[in-house]
Amino acid sequence: MIELRKVAYSYGGGELFAEVSLALQPGSFHFLTGPSGAGKTTLMRLLSAELLPTRGEVTLFGQPTGAMSRDDVAGARRRIGLIHQDCQFLDHLTLAENVMLPLAVAGRQPEAQGNIAELLAWVGLTRQADQKPPSLSGGERQRAALARAVIGSPELVLADEPTGNIDWEMSQRLLTLLAELNRMGRTVLIATHDLNLIRAARALVPARTLRLAQGRLVTAGADL
Amino acid sequence: MSILSAPRSVAAEMPPDRVVPPSGFTAQLTVLAAAAMAFLAVFALALGSAAGRLAERWDAELARTATLRISAPPDQIAAQTEAALRVLQTTPGIASARAMTSAEAQALLQPWFGPDLPVALLPIPQLVEITTTDAGFDATGLRARLQGEVPGAVLDDHTRWRAPLIAAAGRLRVFGGLAVALIALSMAAMVTLAAQVALAANERVIRVLRQVGASDRYITRAFVRRFTLRGLAGAAAGTAAGLLAVLFLPGDDAAGGFPTGLGFQGTGWLIPLAVPPFAAAVAWIATRTAARRSLRAMT
């Protein structure tokens, strides 16, 4: 599904990481952890074809990202549910409209009619459905980003610090949803520095933890 | 709200241009530019239409007439006029010939000299009004005959000054068309500018759309739809205002001159109705080009 082969990324004259190789198999669940500034967000952006590697190759759904056209990238993004650290929305649309945006751009809007209310209820945003994003709290925005990322039943969910702005209870609910998605065959990769979240996930899903530090990606042990 | 019922905001399908923020000065700029350009386009079309009518009228009115001017000493003028009328009556291609009275001559001169002109005291040549048949007459042959029989006669078949008048009216018509083309170009430039500003101002919106899998085609369509509708709305308002303005201009009959005869006649009033769709087409092309270029430049 996703493969990184000897990937390096340079930024501002320095090399953020090098020789990073990784294969995410369909239906797998991964955590990506590491200290701040190690390049977790950059790695996530490489995986969603937002960035191209300086060296090496990233293969997304069987296609090298460097050889993808703009249409190819858009097509690949429709198969990925992205949750960014700084969740961005279209401020003039309602929360519900923002959540169903992935379906609207894919021409699958009618599918939203049935499941959007259910999804918003699940993330606890039913009352906020008709509100505009600027009026939402940080936690509400994070939950809305999660709903938007999963509404199209993506094959892969990439979540960058998805629990950064939400309380522990909501983090657990979010984790449960991602674990459910994983049980339905979706591949999940969560970048987080929250080790408690990783530990909590072990009870829900067989997750593999990767650690990015000092420019290298290694599999972390059970000592986390 | 029931958990299974869709929220109010998603009850209806979201049109693509909903993703473009609705406000901003670019929206007003596009509507205003389209309205102003459509207003001017209506006047340019009215100018072209009036010029066309004028050329046709001059051509029709002057093509079948000629004038004979007889300058002779007072004691010979009557005899020469009679001789000229005899020659004209026997000339093929001339339908009728009539000596104008001094009152008619005075009426012709009145616009220049006023009503108190003592025509009888002035050495004004005798004018003979000639109406030709559709086939026309041989002007060279007639001049030769008149030279022999009426030495004081000068034949004016109007060709000398008819051609430049018709050419001038034709040129006015071309200017009208040129003005419409320039207006369309100006509108295209303004819409392009507004679209580029809107795209630059909405870079964050575009980033979010790309993040959720929107293709450049989808984003382009959203902006194009928004700007085309704005162009159409502005041009419709401008055209309506232009038509009202043209409608309330004094007509031909009121003043009889060209500048006041600016307007449309009969089915000609339908021509300006093409302005709003044309403006929308211009906005469509301009926004599409601008959006494609801007999106290519955005990483």
Side-chain angles (χ1 to χ4, degrees), chain B residues 31-267:
Chain B
V31 175
L32 188 72
M37 294 301 166
F39 187 83
L40 293 174
V42 170
F43 274 94
L45 286 171
L47 171 76
S49 173
R53 277 202 311 277
L54 192 69
E56 279 166 22
R57 199 171 74 196
W58 282 345
D59 196 33
E61 283 178 2
L62 299 177
R64 294 186 59 199
T65 60
T67 307
L68 191 67
R69 201 169 66 242
I70 302 167
S71 301
D75 58 325
Q76 292 177 23
I77 200 119
Q80 287 209 22
T81 304
E82 271 180 42
L85 287 171
R86 271 197 305 276
V87 169
L88 292 170
Q89 277 156 13
T90 57
T91 302
I94 290 181
S96 65
R98 182 181 71 84
M100 291 176 81
T101 63
S102 59
E104 286 173 319
Q106 187 168 2
L108 283 175
L109 295 172
Q110 192 175 309
W112 284 272
F113 298 105
D116 302 326
L117 176 72
V119 179
L121 303 175
L122 293 173
I124 294 173
Q126 171 66 52
L127 297 176
V128 177
E129 187 185 72
I130 301 167
T131 307
T132 70
T133 61
D134 286 342
F137 61 92
D138 171 16
T140 312
L142 180 58
R143 278 197 185 97
R145 279 185 68 195
L146 287 169
Q147 204 172 11
E149 296 182 37
V150 190
V154 177
L155 176 68
D156 180 359
D157 62 359
H158 300 168
T159 47
R160 195 162 36 90
W161 54 280
R162 192 177 76 190
L165 274 179
I166 291 167
R171 242 172 271 137
L172 270 177
R173 201 176 200 172
V174 171
F175 286 153
L178 198 64
V180 171
L182 285 173
I183 287 165
L185 276 177
S186 307
M187 187 185 154
M190 219 157 318
V191 172
T192 302
L193 193 68
Q196 273 173 346
V197 170
L199 284 156
N202 288 304
E203 201 175 337
R204 198 180 66 84
V205 170
I206 292 166
R207 207 165 46 240
V208 172
L209 288 172
R210 281 181 164 167
Q211 203 181 89
V212 297
S215 62
D216 284 4
R217 208 177 303 120
Y218 180 91
I219 300 168
T220 300
R221 206 165 59 228
F223 278 88
V224 165
R225 190 181 141 101
R226 175 62 58 86
F227 276 84
T228 303
L229 289 176
R230 282 175 189 164
L232 184 65
T239 302
L243 279 171
L244 277 176
V246 169
L247 192 67
F248 287 111
L249 278 176
D252 283 316
D253 296 341
F258 161 66
T260 52
L262 198 67
F264 303 100
Q265 276 180 5
T267 54

Side-chain angles (χ1 to χ4, degrees), chain A residues 70-71 74 77-78 82 84 88-94 96-97 100-102 104-105 109-110 113 116-118 121 129-130 148, chain B residues 3 5-11 13-14 18-22 204-205 207-208 210-218 295-296 298:
Chain A
R70 285 176 177 277
D71 279 348
R77 295 249 176 90
R78 287 198 283 271
L82 281 173
H84 275 293
Q88 291 193 337
F89 297 95
L90 302 188
D91 291 344
H92 63 287
L93 298 183
T94 65
E97 284 174 322
M100 71 171 189
L101 212 47
V105 303
Q109 206 171 328
Q113 301 300 315
I116 187 149
E118 208 171 344
D130 293 322
R148 185 178 65 185
Chain B
I3 199 167
S5 68
R8 183 168 48 78
S9 52
V10 290
E13 204 157 308
M14 188 165 67
R18 273 279 288 149
V19 300
V20 182
R204 198 180 66 84
V205 170
R207 207 165 46 240
V208 172
R210 281 181 164 167
Q211 203 181 89
V212 297
S215 62
D216 284 4
R217 208 177 303 120
Y218 180 91
L295 290 172
R296 260 201 308 271
M298 280 182 202

